[in-house]
Every structure is written in structure tokens, then in C-alpha cells.
Amino acid sequence: MMRKHLLFAFFVLINICVNAADIKSIGVPYVQNYTKAQYQSGNQNWSVTRDEHGIMYFGNDEGLLSFDGKYWQLNRMPNGLIVRSVAADGHGKIYSGGFGEFGYWENNKKGFLKYTSLIHLVPKKYQPVTEETWKIYVDKDQVIFQSFGSIYIYAHGKVSVIKAPKPFLFLFKTGNRYFVEQVDAGLFELKNNKLTLIPGSDILNSSVLSILPFQKGKYVIGTSKNGLFIYDGTKITPWQNQANNFLKAYQLNNGAVIPGKYLAYGTILNGVIIIDTAGNVVQHINKSSGLQNNTVLSLYVDTDQNLWAGLDNGIDRIEVNSPLYFYFDKTGRFGTVYSSIIFNNKIYLGTNQGLYYSDWVNSDTKRLLQSFNFQLIPGSQGQVWDLSLQDGKLLCGHNDGTFQVNGASITKITPLNGGWTIKKFNQSQLIQGTYNGLIIYHKDAAGNWLFEHKVAGFAQPSRYVEQDSKGQIWVSHAYKGIYKVTLSADNKRVASQKYYDKRSGLPDSYNVGVFNMDNRIVFSSDSGFYVYDDITDRFYPYQQLNKKLHTFASSNKVIKAIGKKYWFINHGRVALADLSVPGKLTIDSNRFSMLNGQMVQNYENINLINNLTYLISVDDGFVIVNDRDATKEPRFKLPAVLIRRVENITNKVASLSNINDTDVPLTIPYNQNNIRIAYSLPYYKQAKINYQYYLDGYSHQWSDWSPLSQKEFTNLNYGTYHFKVRAKINDESVSGITTFTFEILPPWYANKMAIAVYVLLGILLYYLIRHYYRLKLKRHQREIQEKLQHEKEEFLRQEALANEQHIVTIKNEQLQADLASKSRELANSAMNIVYKNELLQKISDEINNFKDSTGKKLPEDQLKKIHKVIDEGMSDERDWNVFENSFNEAHENFFKKLKHDHPDLVPNDLKLCAYLRMNMSSKEMASLLNISLRGVEIRRYRLRKKLNLEHDKNLVEFLIEL
């Protein structure tokens, strides 16, 4: 880290030496005003410093005010104290002091400045309870704080105190030496924590408010009322110079060294003066010349040669190292300036109101204030278009004609209106473009220019006029197109002319200019420069020039400078190009960026004063430009772009971080993944600054260049991002890339804890699923086993059922067989009964024929006994009982059902039903019933009636179905 800062300090020193100021005494440097309305803090700014990043800090009425070139930020001290003093140590700390307080500011982890008080390190009896801390100096490993009562030295975590018998005024660090004044005691040097009186310091006899290094071993002491003194190390002597009376009258308040040979002093009553080592006043900047306020409370010179003035009301930055010095008509006395020139120790301004002049003071003349008193030349009222110096004579192109300027008077040489431009035509003639064509002038014996004639045959408004190497005259129409004009031998009339517009190869018919560059005619347009080819009689892009000019290829005007240098003006933007090296073109626009937009468009005017100085007309005045080393490469490396703020814009704007150190990554919660990143380039000189960014992890390519200094990103996914940004000044110099790394934290459901939980849940789920599948497998196996068992049981059941059915079948078969057997037995039994009855009947019949031995029939008594026995045998109920039992076995429940359905049936009816069921014949039934066949039919008839059978219903079928 130490090596890094030593290297930084070395380059700063080199930068200061190379860029040493060369301040001019005419006009004033550019002054940038920062108003209270801009920085939104207190009026008064008591001190100024700059940190290692290039950020400016101001001790303000309301706290510590910082500025990075784009954004202002206020940090308040404890109890809202006024910050009287500030100092940066170059290592990330900003020391500040106020009423009864001093300490330092340092960025916390999120980049916000945090204040740490050092008062607690001061012994209680020496604490500055009622004192202001007015000065702070950082010196290697110690920091010195000074109040009117004490000097406090902070080193190695401790604070030592230096007291004196009398109050201090102000402590000054000059080189490696420290000086401090004690009221009514003289000037002392602080060395090794001891105060040593400077002999002869009583000569000062006034408050010492500035001590600055002067020549080798010498110092300039500035007092509030007695002017300046020189201290050579042994004695103090008054320094009589131009500045003394001014500083005495307007009360010197502070001072600063401008590297090179200049000293700057701020006053209470009249702004800032800058003097050289001879004591000559080279600049005076006050309210009338650009400052916001004449009371200068603090001065500070940064490494880029910006002189910062903390004022009683506001902050101003003075570009003392700029090559441009301004004179503005604050009163609006002479209007808008269209042309300006310096001639015979007078400066002339051609404006919309007339021609004005003032004395021009040579740089050798020394006087306190360089002022101008512009006077209107009588008879010049009206619009002045052009001031041109031709062979020692100053000509003025005017709306009312053309004049020759003679000191403070003018002489009209032509009444023809509108002298826009005048050029050398040949050794003795001039040619002028006017509202209504071309005019030729010639020189008389006294060297004065006289009107000769108007060129006949051409009456077009001629804005620009150039002659090529063939003698052809190219005329740019005031509005539309280009003319090529060839004059007659006597130059009095047009021999030929041709009009060119878009149809001839030009990119547009309007706003085309014609200029001479290094003896070549070129044509300007919004699409670049064109050249004419006389073989094809057409126009073609001048690619070699356009490529080298870059953005200035679309310039609308070219003005000759010294040598092979040319001014290119691109619609208000100014650049100086050097074509002196063949095949190479160098262009410088950075130093002239503050002129952008200040010149009258299409009437820009730049005149050469001497080999190094130009006079440029601007809207309400003029600018002196010093062209020293104008086309060299920039003398300093652009600072790095700073990441200034990261804001959450999800719901409402809330700052997440203020960052200067991009090495510290920022972590952002996922619920704040809509962010705005603000960045700035700590480059304070007037310039056109564009930015280009690229968000690695989000974007696919670099953005377009844009002046916007912030970018919003919405709905960023979680992860690490690298935001890269760079700056470009005036479309030329590009800074290095600043990389800022930040991380969008995962949402709660995707953070490390959640992922760990997910892993555990995953493992648990794995085992649960595994266990579940194992259980399912077991259940499945069990189900398969149960299914197999069920199938087995079903098989066995089916087998058993089949066996049972087989058994039933067998039983049925057996029953059928038994039934058949029973039926056969029943039938046999019935047949036996029938046979028995038939046999008995036959016996009965045969008995009737028996005769005794005498041949007589047997007696009736004997026959009756025999017939009775036979009848008893035929009607024996035992036969019926046997039959009935056998029938019931064969036809189970037949009689029960028959009796249930037909309870009126008598036993003989039941017998008939049984015989009919067995499908016996009437004869057999008659035998069994011991009745006649007719009796059987009668019984059948009666039975049908008892059974309520339909007429067509067969009785036997009915009984079989029962």
C-alpha cells in the first residue's frame, strides 16, 4: 500500500511539473461557479482538500461537503457543527475540525463516510471545549490540528498538546516547515513539538494570514493589512510590488501556490489576484469577472491546476492552467460579437450593433488591472459581418457596405450591401462575397483598398469564396448549392458558371461550405468533407481526411491557423488540427471544450494575434487562446471513473452503498435486486464527458456512449456481477476501465442454509422414498404371495368345488340311479300289485267256475268266503302303504305339495295322482284301484275338476311337472 501511494505521489509531482501554469494577463481564466442551489448546503466554505480518488471536500457551514465532478454529498458533523478545516491524508481518511471537535471521516464497509472523533484522546484539561479547529495538516505519520488556544499533534493513536502563553492565530505548513503566529508575540516556527521565535517578526505588525514558499529557501508572508513580506531564513523584509497596495486595501485573507511561478491570494473585499515571482499582478478575478462573491474564505490548488475558491457564498473553480482567457460584456454594451481582431495596438469587435474598439495593452506593460473601454466607431452602427486584415489594412464587411478602418474612424469604400467574406484574389486585387454576388477591389498607390467593380453576370448570395489552383472561383451559396465561376480575362464579368447540388454527388444541397485547406479546395457538409473531381465533374467524399477527423468530419467551418494548422468548427464545437506531418493529422479539442456553444453559429471567427496566440469571437465578448503545444498528446492520464452510489429502487429509492474503493465487493439482498448505480469521472475542467458501461453476467456487449452518469438494472438474478464503466472526454480521450463487483444474494429459499436444508430434506426424502418403496415392495411381495395363496386357495376351492360338483354329480348320478332304481322298484311294486290283483281276479273268476266232485258249483257261502279273502287281498292297504313309501322315496314331497295346493283331495284321488304321475295305463290303474276302466275315466274326470285344470292341459303332464 505504501509503495502504491509513493508511486501515486511521484506521478502527481511529475504531472504538476509538466503542467506548470503559464498565466496570461489579458482577460480572465475560465471560472466555473458552483452555487448554493447546486450543492444544497450552507453559504460559506471555509476550507478545501482533495483525496486520492480526486474527490473534492469542502468545510461547509452545514458539514463536510464532497464533490466528484457530478454529484454533491453532505455529511454532517456531530451536533451539526460548522466544518472549519479539512485535510485528506491520501490513505482513505478525511480529517475535519469544528467548534470543540476534531476527528476523521472514513468509509465503512458499505462505503458510507463515518465520523470518528479524536477529542477523547486529548487530556481533559486541554480539550478545545470553546475553540474552533482552524487548520489541519497531514504530515507523514502525524496529523496536526490547530485552534486559537492549542496545537494538537495526533500520532500513533495518541494526542499531544502544545500550549503557548498567548493565543495562536493560524498555523501554516510551508514545505516541511511549520509557522504559527502568537498574538502580540510574533511569528514562531514549530519544530520537534517546540515553538521557536522568528527573529525580527515584529516587523509584520499585522495578522499573518498566509505563508507560501517562494524562491529557494525563501517564503512570502502575507498579512491582513500590511501587505507581503519576504522571509529568507534569517530576516523578514517588506516586498514592494504591484500587489501590495491592492492586498492592503482589499484585505488579504489566504493564499495558495500555483506550481510554476505564481502565487494566488484571496481577499475579503475583492476576489482573487494572481502574482508572478516579480510581484506583478497577472490576473484579477472578482465578481465582475466571474466569481460569485468577492469574499474568499479558502484557496486550494489541485494537481490538475484548478484553483478552488471557497467563498462566503458558493464555491468557484478557476482554470488557471487553461490556454483560454475570457472577456465578457457583462453589461450587454456591445451586443453579439461576430468578428474580432487586434490591429495597431487596438482590439476591434464587430457586433450586431456596430464596430467597437479599445486599446490593446502589450504584454510587456505592467499594471494592476487589465481593463478595456470599448467605444463605438462613429458611422459603424449596424451589423458587422467580417473583419479582415489585408496587406496592413483593416477592412470591415458591414451590412451597409465595406469600410476601411483607420484607428478610431472608418472610411466606406463601397456602398454595396453585405460584405460576408473577403479574400486575396491576386497580388493587387481582392475578391469579396456579398448579398448579391462578387466584388473586386484594387490597391492604390498609398496602399489603400478601393472598390473596382462588381462582377457582372453573377448575383447569387455568396457566403464563402475560394479560388483554386486553376483560377476557378468556388462560391458557396448562402443557403443552397455550390457555384463554379470562371471570370473573363479582365475579371469584370462571368465567362462561365455551373451550379452543383445533391445531383452532382454532394450529400445535400443545403448548408455546403467551401474552404481552402493546404491549397486544396474542400467542401464541408453534415456528412463529412467532399472534394471535386474535374474529370467526372462530380463530388466524392474526402475519406482520408474524414477518417482522421473523426467527429469533426462534419464540421461546418474551417479557419486557417498558423502554418499547416487549421481550426475545425463542428456546429459549436472547436478543435485545432495540425497537418504539418505528411500522412498524419493530430487534433486537439479537449483544451477548447469550454468554447463549445459559445460562438455565433455559422459566423465563427478566429484570428491570429501572434505565433502563439489567437483571438476568438464569442457571443458576448472574446477569448484569448494560447496555442503552446496545442497538438501534443494530453499531458495527463485521465482519472478513473468512480462508483459513487448504489441505490435500491425496488419500492422507494434507498441508498445501499457509497463506494470509492471498488476492491471491496458489495452484497445486496435478493429483495433489493432492482438497483441504480451512479458513477462519475472526477474531471473538473469543462469538457464533454460520455460514459460507457458493461455488466458482466447481464449484458452481452458494451453500451452506447451516453452523458448519463447512472444506470438502472431491474430483476437481477442472484449471483456475482462485474459492473465495468469507462469515460470519454470530448469524444477523444478514453479513461481506463473501472470494475465494481457486487453480489445479489440468493433468496431465502436459495441461500446456503436453505440449500443445506434442501440437501438434508433430499437425503431424508431419498430414505423415505427408499423406505416407502421397500415397504411397497414388501407389500407387493405380500400381495403377490397373498394373490398366489388366494389363487392357490381358489384353485383348491375350485378343485374342491369341482370335486364337490363331481361328488354331487356322482351323488346325483347315484341319486338318479337310486331314483331310477326306486322308480323301477316302484314300477315293479306297482306291477306286482297289478299282477297280484290280476292274478287274484283270475283266481276269483276261476273260483266261480269251480265245481265239487259232483260237478256242481261250489256253494255261494264257500265262494263268498273265498271271494272275500280274494277281495281282502286285492284291497289290502299294506300294498298301498308299501307303494306310497316307495313313491315318496322316488318323488319326494309330491303328496305334501299336492295336499298343500289341493287340500280337498281324498286318498283315492292321491292314489290316482300317483298312478298318473307314473304314467300308468287305465287298465293298470283299474287293477290297482280295483275298479273298472270306466271308473278310472270317471275318477280322472273328477280329479281334473278338483285340480282346476284347463281344458287343454294334460293331466299327466301337470302331475309330472308338479
Side-chain angles (χ1 to χ4, degrees):
M1 181 63 77
M2 181 61 70
R3 181 179 179 185
K4 179 180 177 181
H5 286 289
L6 287 175
L7 189 63
F8 172 77
F10 172 75
F11 281 114
V12 168
L13 181 61
I14 293 296
N15 184 53
I16 290 174
C17 294
V18 171
N19 291 310
D22 184 15
I23 300 174
K24 302 302 177 184
S25 59
I26 300 176
V28 294
Y30 178 78
V31 180
Q32 174 72 57
N33 300 139
Y34 302 106
T35 65
K36 178 184 175 181
Q38 288 176 277
Y39 61 72
Q40 294 289 305
S41 293
N43 290 24
Q44 296 175 311
N45 296 278
W46 298 95
S47 54
V48 188
T49 191
R50 176 173 170 163
D51 72 2
E52 67 275 14
H53 301 291
I55 299 174
M56 301 300 302
Y57 293 88
F58 305 89
N60 184 267
D61 277 353
E62 295 189 12
L64 180 69
L65 184 63
S66 64
F67 179 52
D68 56 22
K70 181 68 177 181
Y71 301 104
W72 294 91
Q73 183 176 327
L74 178 68
N75 288 277
R76 297 186 183 276
M77 287 279 283
N79 303 316
L81 296 177
I82 296 172
V83 176
R84 300 290 188 182
S85 52
V86 292
D89 70 350
H91 302 282
K93 290 182 179 179
I94 309 298
Y95 292 89
S96 65
F99 180 76
E101 179 64 55
F102 60 79
Y104 63 88
W105 300 82
E106 192 173 29
N107 289 325
N108 60 16
K109 290 183 179 179
K110 288 193 173 182
F112 295 102
L113 281 177
K114 180 181 179 182
Y115 180 74
T116 301
S117 176
L118 297 175
I119 290 298
H120 65 282
L121 299 177
V122 180
K124 288 187 178 180
K125 65 178 180 178
Y126 295 125
Q127 288 189 354
V129 179
T130 60
E131 297 177 356
E132 301 268 11
T133 302
W134 288 99
K135 297 289 183 180
I136 303 176
Y137 298 102
V138 178
D139 189 0
K140 298 178 182 177
D141 58 351
Q142 67 178 9
V143 183
I144 302 174
F145 302 89
Q146 180 255 320
S147 69
F148 288 157
S150 303
I151 296 174
Y152 304 92
I153 301 175
Y154 170 62
H156 310 297
K158 297 181 180 180
V159 174
S160 56
V161 183
I162 298 174
K163 297 288 288 184
K166 295 185 178 181
F168 296 114
L169 192 55
F170 293 111
L171 177 70
F172 301 99
K173 181 184 179 184
T174 308
N176 294 322
R177 300 179 70 176
Y178 289 90
F179 300 95
V180 64
E181 181 184 8
Q182 288 187 41
V183 178
D184 298 330
L187 187 64
F188 289 77
E189 181 175 3
L190 174 63
K191 193 172 184 180
N192 298 324
N193 293 355
K194 294 183 180 180
L195 296 172
T196 304
L197 179 65
I198 303 296
S201 61
D202 55 336
I203 191 175
L204 299 173
N205 196 29
S206 181
S207 300
V208 176
L209 299 178
S210 171
I211 301 179
L212 303 175
F214 187 46
Q215 298 167 350
K216 186 177 181 180
K218 295 182 179 180
Y219 304 92
V220 178
I221 300 173
T223 64
S224 61
K225 296 179 181 179
N226 292 334
L228 303 176
F229 294 81
I230 300 293
Y231 173 52
D232 61 6
T234 57
K235 64 180 183 298
I236 299 174
T237 56
W239 186 21
Q240 299 300 329
N241 55 43
Q242 286 186 353
N244 252 352
N245 290 335
F246 180 90
L247 294 174
K248 291 177 183 178
Y250 297 112
Q251 196 172 344
L252 180 150
N253 193 41
N254 42 58
V257 175
I258 300 175
K261 55 180 180 178
Y262 302 101
L263 305 175
Y265 288 102
T267 69
I268 296 294
L269 302 176
N270 204 352
V272 177
I273 65 166
I274 300 175
I275 67 174
D276 59 19
T277 53
N280 300 312
V281 177
V282 295
Q283 275 297 329
H284 177 213
I285 307 106
N286 59 9
K287 189 172 177 64
S288 64
S289 57
L291 285 187
Q292 297 177 75
N293 186 271
N294 278 333
T295 301
V296 181
L297 300 179
S298 56
L299 284 178
Y300 179 84
V301 179
D302 66 20
T303 55
D304 295 329
Q305 303 293 288
N306 292 299
L307 177 62
W308 295 85
L311 305 176
D312 193 60
N313 187 9
I315 299 168
D316 283 348
R317 181 182 57 82
I318 305 168
E319 291 193 11
V320 294
N321 197 33
S322 170
L324 280 64
Y325 289 82
F326 295 79
Y327 177 84
F328 293 113
D329 176 24
K330 298 292 183 180
T331 63
R333 180 177 181 181
F334 48 69
T336 303
V337 178
Y338 281 74
S339 184
S340 60
I341 198 168
I342 295 171
F343 176 62
N344 285 343
N345 294 325
K346 285 184 171 54
I347 179 170
Y348 294 90
L349 303 179
T351 77
N352 64 317
Q353 297 179 9
L355 181 61
Y356 291 81
Y357 78 98
S358 179
D359 291 335
W360 178 263
V361 180
N362 290 328
S363 59
D364 295 334
T365 304
K366 306 299 181 184
R367 72 187 204 186
L368 181 61
L369 297 177
Q370 176 71 34
S371 61
F372 295 97
N373 182 23
F374 284 97
Q375 302 293 323
L376 177 66
I377 296 179
S380 69
Q381 291 89 339
Q383 176 69 58
V384 175
W385 293 117
D386 180 51
L387 290 173
S388 177
L389 187 61
Q390 301 291 343
D391 292 348
K393 300 296 181 180
L394 180 60
L395 302 181
C396 172
H398 196 281
N399 180 67
D400 298 334
T402 300
F403 301 83
Q404 181 169 299
V405 181
N406 305 303
S409 62
I410 55 174
T411 302
K412 182 176 284 191
I413 58 177
T414 176
L416 298 178
N417 294 345
W420 267 325
T421 181
I422 193 165
K423 295 291 180 71
K424 202 70 177 287
F425 188 53
N426 53 48
Q427 291 297 323
S428 60
Q429 289 181 314
L430 302 176
I431 188 168
Q432 185 181 40
T434 69
Y435 294 166
N436 299 300
L438 302 174
I439 295 176
I440 301 296
Y441 297 90
H442 74 278
K443 190 188 301 182
D444 65 7
N448 296 315
W449 292 102
L450 302 176
F451 171 76
E452 183 171 321
H453 61 264
K454 183 179 183 297
V455 175
F458 188 80
Q460 301 298 329
S462 305
R463 182 66 184 87
Y464 299 109
V465 178
E466 295 290 349
Q467 186 178 24
D468 64 17
S469 58
K470 295 182 180 181
Q472 301 173 120
I473 299 172
W474 292 91
V475 180
S476 173
H477 191 280
Y479 304 104
K480 184 179 180 180
I482 292 287
Y483 289 87
K484 183 175 69 173
V485 178
T486 302
L487 301 184
S488 61
D490 58 4
N491 297 329
K492 290 186 177 181
R493 60 183 177 81
V494 172
S496 66
Q497 63 175 296
K498 184 172 182 180
Y499 174 73
Y500 298 92
D501 59 9
K502 190 175 183 179
R503 294 169 295 180
S504 305
L506 291 170
D508 200 347
S509 299
Y510 292 88
N511 302 318
V512 180
V514 56
F515 305 99
N516 188 318
M517 281 186 59
D518 201 17
N519 297 320
R520 184 172 188 177
I521 303 300
V522 298
F523 303 86
S524 67
S525 75
D526 290 341
S527 301
F529 285 96
Y530 280 69
V531 291
Y532 172 73
D533 180 33
D534 54 359
I535 296 177
T536 59
D537 194 30
R538 289 184 65 81
F539 295 85
Y540 298 95
Y542 194 173
Q543 297 291 11
Q544 298 92 330
L545 179 63
N546 291 334
K547 289 179 180 178
K548 293 179 180 179
L549 287 175
H550 303 295
T551 58
F552 280 90
S554 56
S555 296
N556 60 293
K557 194 164 188 178
V558 181
I559 300 174
K560 182 75 169 65
I562 190 171
K564 290 192 175 183
K565 295 180 180 179
Y566 291 86
W567 294 96
F568 286 85
I569 302 170
N570 184 4
H571 301 87
R573 295 175 55 227
V574 183
L576 181 61
D578 189 353
L579 284 71
S580 57
V581 179
K584 182 180 179 182
L585 183 150
T586 56
I587 187 165
D588 177 21
S589 66
N590 286 347
R591 296 186 306 126
F592 312 109
S593 59
M594 64 186 69
L595 291 175
N596 295 346
Q598 295 200 43
M599 305 171 74
V600 181
Q601 184 137 355
N602 297 319
Y603 294 94
E604 299 88 352
N605 177 261
I606 303 176
N607 278 294
L608 182 67
I609 299 175
N610 54 48
N611 288 341
L612 289 177
T613 309
Y614 295 90
L615 180 67
I616 300 179
S617 303
V618 293
D619 290 340
D620 53 355
F622 59 87
V623 179
I624 304 296
V625 177
N626 181 23
D627 183 30
R628 54 177 171 77
D629 303 324
T631 56
K632 287 185 179 180
E633 295 296 325
R635 298 180 180 85
F636 60 92
K637 184 180 179 180
L638 286 180
V641 177
L642 301 179
I643 305 298
R644 295 299 289 142
R645 262 194 331 271
V646 180
E647 296 175 325
N648 168 29
I649 58 171
T650 302
N651 295 317
K652 60 180 181 180
V653 177
S655 183
L656 296 173
S657 177
N658 286 351
I659 300 171
N660 293 330
D661 188 359
T662 54
D663 294 334
V664 179
L666 175 67
T667 56
I668 300 172
Y670 185 77
N671 60 1
Q672 299 176 3
N673 64 344
N674 300 304
I675 65 171
R676 177 191 298 141
I677 301 176
Y679 39 87
S680 66
L681 183 73
Y683 183 80
Y684 300 98
K685 294 185 178 181
Q686 282 294 99
K688 175 187 176 183
I689 301 177
N690 284 324
Y691 297 92
Q692 191 179 44
Y693 63 84
Y694 171 71
L695 183 59
D696 189 10
Y698 179 86
S699 307
H700 298 292
Q701 61 185 7
W702 284 89
S703 69
D704 294 332
W705 290 102
S706 167
L708 298 178
S709 60
Q710 60 184 21
K711 174 58 183 175
E712 295 180 355
F713 298 98
T714 57
N715 296 321
L716 292 174
N717 289 325
Y718 65 89
T720 300
Y721 296 87
H722 304 283
F723 180 76
K724 300 179 180 181
V725 62
R726 58 188 175 188
K728 180 165 66 174
I729 293 182
N730 297 324
D731 297 321
E732 294 178 2
S733 302
V734 179
S735 72
I737 296 174
T738 296
T739 302
F740 161 55
T741 300
F742 65 94
E743 180 185 6
I744 302 294
L745 296 176
W748 64 268
Y749 52 81
N751 59 30
K752 292 180 180 179
M753 182 64 70
I755 292 173
V757 172
Y758 297 153
V759 171
L760 293 175
L761 289 175
I763 295 171
L764 179 61
L765 183 62
Y766 167 76
Y767 282 103
L768 288 174
I769 293 174
R770 181 181 176 188
H771 180 67
Y772 168 76
Y773 275 104
R774 284 185 174 181
L775 292 177
K776 186 175 181 181
L777 181 60
K778 289 180 180 179
R779 186 169 65 251
H780 187 59
Q781 290 174 343
R782 187 168 60 250
E783 288 175 353
I784 292 175
Q785 290 176 354
E786 290 175 353
K787 184 176 180 181
L788 290 173
Q789 183 65 27
H790 178 72
E791 290 177 351
K792 184 178 179 181
E793 291 175 355
E794 181 65 20
F795 175 76
L796 293 175
R797 191 180 66 80
Q798 292 293 335
E799 188 176 12
L801 182 61
N803 292 334
E804 289 178 0
Q805 288 178 348
H806 182 63
I807 293 170
V808 169
T809 302
I810 293 173
K811 286 182 178 180
N812 288 336
E813 290 176 353
Q814 184 65 38
L815 290 173
Q816 291 294 332
D818 293 344
L819 181 61
S821 177
K822 297 274 185 191
S823 296
R824 286 193 300 271
E825 290 179 0
L826 180 63
N828 290 331
S829 176
M831 293 307 297
N832 287 330
I833 294 171
V834 171
Y835 178 72
K836 181 193 78 162
N837 289 339
E838 286 178 353
L839 180 59
L840 290 176
Q841 185 64 42
K842 284 181 179 181
I843 291 173
S844 177
D845 291 339
E846 287 293 331
I847 288 175
N848 289 328
N849 295 322
F850 279 180
K851 295 177 178 180
D852 57 15
S853 57
T854 64
K856 293 181 179 180
K857 290 185 180 182
L858 294 175
E860 283 294 328
D861 295 336
Q862 291 180 353
L863 289 174
K864 286 184 179 179
K865 291 180 180 179
I866 295 171
H867 280 297
K868 183 179 179 182
V869 173
I870 291 170
D871 290 338
E872 290 176 352
M874 290 180 68
S875 59
D876 193 353
E877 288 296 326
R878 289 178 296 179
D879 291 337
W880 168 249
N881 292 335
V882 172
F883 177 81
E884 185 180 13
N885 291 334
S886 298
F887 187 87
N888 283 333
E889 289 178 359
H891 304 285
E892 186 177 1
N893 299 325
F894 175 78
F895 290 120
K896 291 180 181 180
K897 189 172 182 181
L898 191 61
K899 289 177 181 180
H900 180 271
D901 293 339
H902 305 282
D904 55 340
L905 295 177
V906 297
N908 284 331
D909 294 333
L910 293 175
K911 290 180 181 180
L912 180 61
C913 289
Y915 298 149
L916 289 171
R917 175 74 173 76
M918 292 182 64
N919 201 18
M920 290 185 174
S921 64
S922 297
K923 183 179 179 181
E924 291 173 337
M925 289 186 288
S927 176
L928 289 171
L929 295 173
N930 199 20
I931 59 174
S932 63
L933 290 174
R934 177 67 179 168
V936 171
E937 293 299 324
I938 292 172
R939 286 192 179 185
R940 287 181 65 140
Y941 175 74
R942 291 174 178 171
L943 181 61
R944 287 183 65 89
K945 294 186 74 175
K946 288 183 178 181
L947 294 176
N948 296 320
L949 292 180
E950 298 293 333
H951 178 72
D952 58 347
K953 182 66 175 178
N954 187 280
L955 178 60
V956 177
E957 290 179 358
F958 171 77
L959 293 173
I960 291 172
E961 292 174 357
L962 186 65

